[in-house]
Amino acid sequence: MKTLKRALVLLGFLAAVTNQPGFAQEGGPAVVLQDSILTPKVEAVWNKYYDYASVTALCQQLAEAHPNLVKLESLGDSHQGRKMWVLTITDFSEGTAEQKPALYLDGNIHSTVYPGVENVLFTAWFLAEGHMSNLFLQNLLKEKTFYIIPTINPDLRENVLNPFAEAPRAGVIPIDDDGDGLLDEDKPEDLNKDGFISYMRRKSKDGRFVVDPQNPFRMIATPSEKTGRYEILGFEGLDNDNDGRVNEDPQSNYDPNRDWPWNWQPAHIQRGAFKYPFSLTENRNVKNFVLRASNIAAAQVYSGFGAFHPHEEDFSFAENPTQEDERVYKMLASEAQKFLAGLPYPLVFKNLQGAFGGQLNWFHGARGVYTFSTEILPGYSMVQQNAKPAVFDYEALQLLYPDEAFLDWVPFNHPTLGMVEIGGLKKDFLPDPTTHFDRTKLFQNTVLTLFHALHTPQLEIQGVETKKLANGHTEVTATVTNTRVLPTHSSQDLLFKIERPDFISLKDSTVVSGILVSIGQETFEREQKVSPARLEIPNIPGHSSVTVRWVVSAPAPTLQVEVESRKGGVVRKRF
């Protein structure tokens, strides 16, 4: 109950700065609610990692408890046969999911993004439970659809929750890394039986590492003249295939976020690429769903670069957004600063190195969808805000988890390497969830997701004017306004004609002429000769309007206007 209340208070802030109704304001953005209203139908906790069974159970409980808001289905099976769940969340009493603008949300394409699954599940739970008592959420789910996938890598997510997890950016498909015809036959092993896999080191006059004077468990690179040098021999393990190398064929050394067919490159160019685009079952399942869900206007994923702040995803080495799409992102960032309390909202295509074949590269490049990435892996930026964050940041782990992340160095007589020491940072260290989850950030991430959904296109038929013409004809002029930031078509969408145009129709059989008058400040006065009652509109920009005109051969035409947009929804109004 306390969790839900705190999140609803943040929503009050969001409503206040976006002029949304449903909140009592008393000296600031607060929400006045009765505790009895906040008793959830589905109990959930947010200081643990959800395994596959727990994810499945929570999704099923939400669908059963809120049948008018939540629908559960499977995208298909993973490589190991697990169902890939997707929750469709909207107010089904106010129209079908497909007739509303949608936000796609997923977590955990990499299992290193440990709390991504929990963040996504919290958003789904909060939408369903908060809807009962919160007018903002009620209005939002009348207008919008959420497609929420807790994890798109369920096999490795399950695997990584054990202490011997391997290849956390990959999956579980066995591959032959060393080209000897065998699959995953030379993996790291717990040689000293301490319950963890950690590093091996050995003293060497040619070594490049010394013990960190600030942390006796950590090794740091050093100038060659320093004494007390060590060489790092990698993770503890044996030469299992007798080829003279140790741990050279670990589990599944590929990257699911390099498998998407937008500017895809093979592994010798883009490290982590698999056989060919969409060679992974899980990614194909997502692709098939996204192609069906053409109302997805925005896509947000949880990634793991090193901070808790949200931002747009990169567009690969070669691809940058067009000037118009960049303008839209900057406008949204400006809106976001009103309620993010000073947290950064950087544009990733300017702040992070890109990659070939990334998931959100495909969303934007091939589907024309506006994309966002919320970065949640603990990094150095959490404890030193001016530092550049890094994915595997020893300093952050040292400061955040000094007693959890590292092991003492202990001697071990290795059968082929001789006397070594085993210890240091634990391989694929998984922080304790009871202390790892930052609830404030959890709420902020959820509110940000709702902010992105709120600013998907929102179309309103604002007015109709009529004018009598000669010979019993009537001129009908209508204005359709998009009141939110995102347009109905991105520039990428328009450039490659990915999605069909929008349509504005006058439901009168006597229409003899149809004219696109203007889009925003641009005037067209362009007549549509074919099917004039149903006018094709290339785009309805954010915070802008479209004006259309019809001539009908009737003195009293039917003044019913309909707008159909894949990403802007279906709106009808009679005057």
Side-chain angles (χ1 to χ4, degrees):
M1 184 169 68
K2 192 177 294 184
T3 296
L4 188 56
K5 179 185 286 188
R6 290 181 64 189
L8 288 170
V9 168
L10 281 176
L11 265 193
F13 194 11
L14 174 58
V17 299
T18 54
N19 298 315
Q20 297 300 303
F23 298 89
Q25 304 297 319
E26 295 184 358
V31 183
V32 180
L33 294 166
Q34 297 295 322
D35 285 353
S36 59
I37 301 176
L38 298 176
T39 302
K41 292 183 178 181
V42 177
E43 296 287 348
V45 296
W46 306 107
N47 62 347
K48 74 168 190 175
Y49 296 117
Y50 279 76
D51 61 14
Y52 180 75
S54 299
V55 169
T56 300
L58 183 57
C59 290
Q60 291 173 338
Q61 290 166 15
L62 288 173
E64 291 169 4
H66 303 279
N68 295 326
L69 298 175
V70 182
K71 305 295 183 187
L72 177 64
E73 62 180 311
S74 171
L75 302 180
D77 291 349
S78 67
H79 174 73
Q80 291 185 338
R82 293 180 175 88
K83 299 294 182 186
M84 293 178 61
W85 301 116
V86 57
L87 292 162
T88 299
I89 302 181
T90 190
D91 186 345
F92 288 98
S93 69
E94 296 288 336
T96 66
E98 296 76 19
Q99 291 182 322
K100 305 173 187 180
L103 180 134
Y104 168 100
L105 178 67
D106 77 39
N108 202 210
I109 192 170
H110 297 138
S111 60
T112 46
V113 190
Y114 301 125
V117 172
E118 287 70 33
N119 273 267
V120 170
L121 285 172
F122 178 84
T123 300
W125 177 82
F126 176 61
L127 282 168
E129 297 295 338
H131 181 273
M132 294 185 291
S133 58
N134 189 276
L135 184 57
F136 174 82
L137 292 181
Q138 291 166 8
N139 289 333
L140 188 68
L141 292 181
K142 285 179 182 178
E143 300 171 350
K144 309 294 183 184
T145 295
F146 291 80
Y147 297 121
I148 296 179
I149 307 174
T151 173
I152 60 174
N153 194 349
D155 295 343
L156 195 68
R157 165 69 180 191
E158 191 73 355
N159 184 61
V160 82
L161 294 180
N162 73 67
F164 298 104
E166 294 197 46
R169 288 181 64 84
V172 296
I173 301 173
I175 57 177
D176 179 14
D177 291 293
D178 56 355
D180 63 357
L182 303 175
L183 304 176
D184 295 354
E185 82 285 353
D186 202 347
K187 308 175 184 179
E189 297 153 285
D190 181 19
L191 298 182
N192 61 355
K193 308 301 181 186
D194 62 356
F196 300 97
I197 294 174
S198 55
Y199 284 88
M200 298 187 296
R201 72 182 185 185
R202 181 173 59 187
K203 285 190 174 181
S204 169
K205 61 182 179 63
D206 298 319
R208 298 187 300 109
F209 296 88
V210 296
V211 175
D212 182 354
Q214 303 300 318
N215 180 356
F217 309 114
R218 178 178 178 238
M219 307 302 296
I220 57 174
T222 181
S224 57
E225 64 271 11
K226 275 235 178 184
T227 59
R229 285 174 286 164
Y230 287 85
E231 58 180 328
I232 302 297
L233 303 171
F235 293 118
E236 56 182 309
L238 303 172
D239 177 13
N240 293 306
D241 53 2
N242 299 313
D243 64 355
R245 294 178 291 173
V246 176
N247 301 336
E248 82 285 353
D249 197 353
Q251 175 182 304
S252 308
N253 192 20
Y254 59 86
D255 189 335
N257 206 21
R258 303 295 180 261
D259 182 58
W260 302 76
W262 184 258
N263 203 16
W264 182 89
Q265 295 292 334
H268 70 278
I269 296 176
Q270 175 57 69
R271 182 179 178 183
F274 200 36
K275 298 176 182 177
Y276 48 83
F278 284 139
S279 54
L280 300 176
T281 299
E282 295 82 2
N283 291 353
R284 289 199 304 273
N285 289 341
V286 173
K287 177 261 295 184
N288 292 337
F289 174 78
V290 171
L291 292 181
R292 295 194 305 270
S294 56
N295 59 327
I296 295 174
Q300 181 173 334
V301 304
Y302 282 91
S303 188
F305 183 73
F308 275 82
H309 51 263
H311 48 284
E312 294 88 343
E313 178 62 81
D314 55 284
F315 291 88
S316 86
F317 292 115
E319 299 292 333
N320 279 325
T322 63
Q323 184 176 3
E324 176 58 25
D325 281 347
E326 184 172 348
R327 185 189 69 81
V328 172
Y329 279 127
K330 289 180 177 179
M331 187 188 309
L332 196 64
S334 177
E335 292 287 329
Q337 287 301 325
K338 296 177 183 178
F339 74 96
L340 281 179
L343 288 177
Y345 193 97
L347 303 177
V348 177
F349 58 83
K350 292 185 176 181
N351 291 276
L352 285 183
Q353 185 182 47
F356 296 109
Q359 179 191 11
L360 291 187
N361 303 82
W362 177 78
F363 262 100
H364 182 265
R367 300 304 303 153
V369 171
Y370 286 97
T371 60
F372 309 94
S373 176
T374 303
E375 307 293 332
I376 58 175
L377 182 70
Y380 193 47
S381 62
M382 289 180 60
V383 291
Q384 184 171 320
Q385 291 299 322
N386 295 326
K388 181 180 179 181
V391 174
F392 299 109
D393 194 325
Y394 289 86
E395 292 181 86
L397 293 170
Q398 172 189 347
L399 291 169
L400 291 169
Y401 312 107
D403 300 324
E404 299 178 44
F406 295 92
L407 297 168
D408 286 325
W409 292 95
V410 296
F412 182 81
N413 189 11
H414 196 280
T416 57
L417 299 175
M419 187 58 67
V420 301
E421 294 176 73
I422 296 175
L425 182 68
K426 298 174 185 175
K427 184 180 187 300
D428 305 332
F429 165 63
L430 187 66
D432 181 352
T434 60
T435 58
H436 173 63
F437 285 114
D438 184 328
R439 296 198 172 218
T440 300
K441 302 300 181 185
L442 186 71
F443 304 146
Q444 288 173 340
N445 287 340
T446 297
V447 171
L448 183 78
T449 299
L450 304 188
F451 172 78
H452 286 151
L454 178 73
H455 278 291
T456 58
Q458 186 65 37
L459 306 181
E460 297 180 6
I461 305 168
Q462 290 201 320
V464 166
E465 297 178 355
T466 60
K467 179 181 178 182
K468 298 297 183 182
L469 302 176
N471 302 319
H473 286 63
T474 305
E475 180 183 272
V476 180
T477 303
T479 300
V480 176
T481 298
N482 181 358
T483 62
R484 305 293 162 76
V485 171
L486 298 190
T488 56
H489 296 261
S490 68
S491 293
Q492 183 75 1
D493 187 344
L494 294 172
L495 178 63
F496 291 100
K497 296 180 170 58
I498 298 169
E499 193 48 77
R500 74 178 193 189
D502 303 323
F503 296 99
I504 303 178
S505 303
L506 182 66
K507 297 298 184 178
D508 189 300
S509 60
T510 63
V511 173
V512 295
S513 176
I515 300 170
L516 170 59
V517 178
S518 64
I519 298 178
Q521 300 299 313
E522 187 175 3
T523 300
F524 291 87
E525 294 290 345
R526 185 172 66 209
E527 183 177 7
Q528 181 176 304
K529 300 290 187 180
V530 179
S531 302
R534 189 172 187 246
L535 293 171
E536 292 190 7
I537 311 299
N539 187 32
I540 307 177
H543 290 326
S544 189
S545 298
V546 171
T547 301
V548 295
R549 183 176 298 135
W550 298 277
V551 174
V552 298
S553 58
T558 302
L559 298 181
Q560 180 178 338
V561 179
E562 179 180 86
V563 183
E564 304 170 77
S565 172
R566 291 289 199 200
K567 293 179 170 61
V570 177
V571 183
R572 302 180 180 91
K573 191 170 183 178
R574 183 183 290 273
F575 294 86

